[in-house]
Amino acid sequence: MSKVVKFGGSSLADAKQFKKVADIINADPERVYVVPSAPGKRFKDDTKVTDLLYQCYERVLTGEDFAKAFAPVRERYDGIIKDLGLSFDLNEDYVKIGKDFRSGATRDYAASRGEYLNGKILAHVLGYEFVDAANGIFFDSKGEFDADITNACLGAILEKTPKAVIPGFYGALPDGSIKTFSRGGSDFTGSVVAKAAGASLYENWTDVSGFLVADPRIVKNPAGIEVITYSELRELSYMGAGVLHEDAIFPVRSANIPINIKNTNAPEDKGTLIVPTADSNTKYLVTGIAGKKDFSVISIEKDRMNSESGFMRRLLQVLENHSVFPEHMPTGIDTISVVVNSKELDGQRDKLAQRLKDVVRPDHFEIIDGLALIAVVGRGMKSKKGTATRVFAALSHADINIRMIDQGSSELNIIVGIDEKDFDKAIRVIYDMFILSEQ
Ligand code: ADP
Ligand code: ASP
Ligand code: MG
């Protein structure tokens, strides 16, 4: 049985962290495939290597000499190598990266070198084979991740490579050039590798002891989540619980491989186990609370809109034509609120508003900004009454105005829309209502 282990940026931020990582891997012979991120922050105001690489790319673009622009990146890796006391260097790689920059490498290529170089060091430290993700992880000509080809090619490589380090975050386009996933994408790579390897477990090592009921930057010492289902996790990560990339569950879910979120700085802690299904008899009624800011509501009122044939279709068509994707659409008899990401309105707000007015001819039309969405998620909610009432009671008691309510038909979540200014407070009072009061 093999395990795939992914280590995030803070787990590999310096030599001290590298040693912890090597100890963790060496403690279990099943930990044979390792997916590293680029070195992350060593302290609060530090800069992640990925961000240094984006800066380097911009600087070279504006005419600065590569060696000078690349120096802060090089310093990080050379520092790690020196502090680990290795007789190893990355000089050949630095020369190659310089050459690639000079011949017009892309921004994605630049960013990908963070995990590439870190993977080289880690493979050396562990005595594992280095497998360049560009040889096993593929995108199609439209730039979409190609799951089938990747699974076949990467599977074949891993079959003949018993122990390997595969850098996270990137793969190759059909022409061989590098493309990265979105930020935090090494989590996705780990999941892809777990599937290709037919792993028994995907361990995702980070800087917290698993998924917490709420963001620790908002709620002080939140309770941990021992077990969470794929669907609950999907809701929470989509709604901003930052621990795991929102797409990371898809590859492992299709292969029924559980994920264990673990803490590199406290390896004995059990962490969170993410499983296909779980008992709905949970310790707390709510499994997790997460939220995101920066939403807008397109509010439309029109008498008898419900009985107007094709009303909804026309509305959705206009939105689709402007690449605006509704997140939620709570409706009344004569009203509809379309909740969208505010940034999707950038540069086309007036044009879209005019088009909607022309096509659906509303009695009243308004776009309201500054909405935050909060998701209260729990597989236990289905079998218990009164969850929504308690969410509303917590918010109203704290004098927070609820501007939208949406409950998924699976009864796995309740979503409320509130003013952005109330965001942190809302998460805290919901947490108090469901967790503190049940402890
Ligand atoms: P890595 O660099 O290991 O990928 P990330 O920074 O991407 O780590 O994710 C871990 C961070 O996610 C934690 O340090 C924490 O600040 C944040 N976080 C946000 N929401 C939660 C939550 N519900 N539970 C735990 N951590 C959370
Ligand atoms: N290094 C990349 C980032 O900072 C990918 C990752 O860490 O998962 O987004
Ligand atoms: Mg991450």
Side-chain angles (χ1 to χ4, degrees), residues 91-164:
N91 294 342
E92 265 181 38
D93 288 300
Y94 298 151
V95 170
K96 170 86 171 74
I97 294 170
K99 260 195 207 144
D100 291 340
F101 261 77
R102 281 179 207 104
S103 54
T106 62
R107 189 170 183 269
D108 275 17
Y109 169 84
S112 74
R113 295 307 88 182
E115 330 328 85
Y116 176 88
L117 294 171
N118 226 21
K120 284 257 166 132
I121 303 180
L122 193 57
H124 179 84
V125 168
L126 297 169
Y128 282 23
E129 192 94 23
F130 175 81
V131 171
D132 189 346
N135 298 329
I137 293 187
F138 300 107
F139 296 87
D140 64 20
S141 54
K142 291 194 199 107
E144 300 288 335
F145 170 62
D146 196 327
D148 293 339
I149 292 180
T150 296
N151 203 48
C153 290
L154 192 59
I157 294 174
L158 299 181
E159 212 169 304
K160 48 184 197 323
T161 319
K163 292 179 167 192

Side-chain angles (χ1 to χ4, degrees), residues 5 59 105 112 199 211 220 222 233 279 323 342 382:
V5 287
R59 286 165 65 176
S112 74
F211 231 94
K220 224 171 151 195
L233 180 83
D279 188 355
S323 300
S342 303
K382 202 172 188 161

Side-chain angles (χ1 to χ4, degrees), residues 75-250:
E75 226 168 77
R76 289 290 299 269
Y77 291 107
D78 287 348
I80 293 171
I81 293 170
K82 181 170 162 278
D83 294 345
L84 285 171
L86 304 177
S87 52
F88 165 83
D89 66 59
L90 290 167
N91 294 342
E92 265 181 38
D93 288 300
Y94 298 151
V95 170
K96 170 86 171 74
I97 294 170
K99 260 195 207 144
D100 291 340
F101 261 77
R102 281 179 207 104
S103 54
T106 62
R107 189 170 183 269
D108 275 17
Y109 169 84
S112 74
R113 295 307 88 182
E115 330 328 85
Y116 176 88
L117 294 171
N118 226 21
K120 284 257 166 132
I121 303 180
L122 193 57
H124 179 84
V125 168
L126 297 169
Y128 282 23
E129 192 94 23
F130 175 81
V131 171
D132 189 346
N135 298 329
I137 293 187
F138 300 107
F139 296 87
D140 64 20
S141 54
K142 291 194 199 107
E144 300 288 335
F145 170 62
D146 196 327
D148 293 339
I149 292 180
T150 296
N151 203 48
C153 290
L154 192 59
I157 294 174
L158 299 181
E159 212 169 304
K160 48 184 197 323
T161 319
K163 292 179 167 192
V165 172
I166 308 102
F169 194 36
Y170 72 94
L173 285 159
D175 68 359
S177 63
I178 298 292
K179 180 171 164 62
T180 62
F181 297 112
S182 57
R183 294 301 302 264
S186 300
D187 291 330
F188 186 73
T189 306
S191 184
V192 167
V193 173
K195 180 171 175 179
S200 59
L201 182 66
Y202 169 26
E203 288 181 343
N204 187 291
W205 292 81
T206 181
D207 60 354
V208 276
S209 291
F211 231 94
L212 304 168
V213 173
D215 188 334
R217 289 162 297 192
I218 299 175
V219 172
K220 224 171 151 195
N221 283 327
I225 303 174
E226 268 177 45
V227 176
I228 185 170
T229 64
Y230 288 144
S231 326
E232 288 175 309
L233 180 83
R234 173 92 184 115
E235 301 280 350
L236 287 172
S237 26
Y238 184 74
M239 284 302 287
V243 200
L244 204 64
H245 188 279
E246 67 186 49
D247 294 334
I249 60 158
F250 292 123

Side-chain angles (χ1 to χ4, degrees), residues 48 76 151 207 221 242 254 317-318 349 370 378 386 414-415 438:
K48 289 176 160 197
R76 289 290 299 269
N151 203 48
D207 60 354
N221 283 327
S254 65
Q317 190 62 59
V318 175
R349 175 181 290 258
I414 294 169
I415 305 220
E438 288 182 24

Side-chain angles (χ1 to χ4, degrees), residues 311-380:
F311 178 87
M312 202 63 119
R313 180 179 45 75
R314 285 196 297 278
L315 169 65
L316 290 173
Q317 190 62 59
V318 175
L319 294 172
E320 187 182 333
N321 294 347
H322 287 77
S323 300
V324 171
F325 305 102
E327 295 275 330
H328 297 276
M329 291 210 306
T331 54
I333 300 171
D334 298 324
T335 61
I336 181 161
S337 304
V338 186
V339 179
V340 300
N341 264 311
S342 303
K343 64 173 179 311
E344 288 174 4
L345 303 178
D346 285 352
Q348 57 169 352
R349 175 181 290 258
D350 294 341
K351 230 166 107 194
L352 173 69
Q354 194 50 56
R355 188 74 193 131
L356 282 170
K357 285 181 200 163
D358 290 347
V359 171
V360 299
R361 306 204 161 277
D363 299 328
H364 178 78
F365 180 92
E366 201 180 352
I367 298 181
I368 310 152
D369 297 318
L371 185 80
L373 296 180
I374 293 181
V376 182
V377 177
R379 61 186 182 278

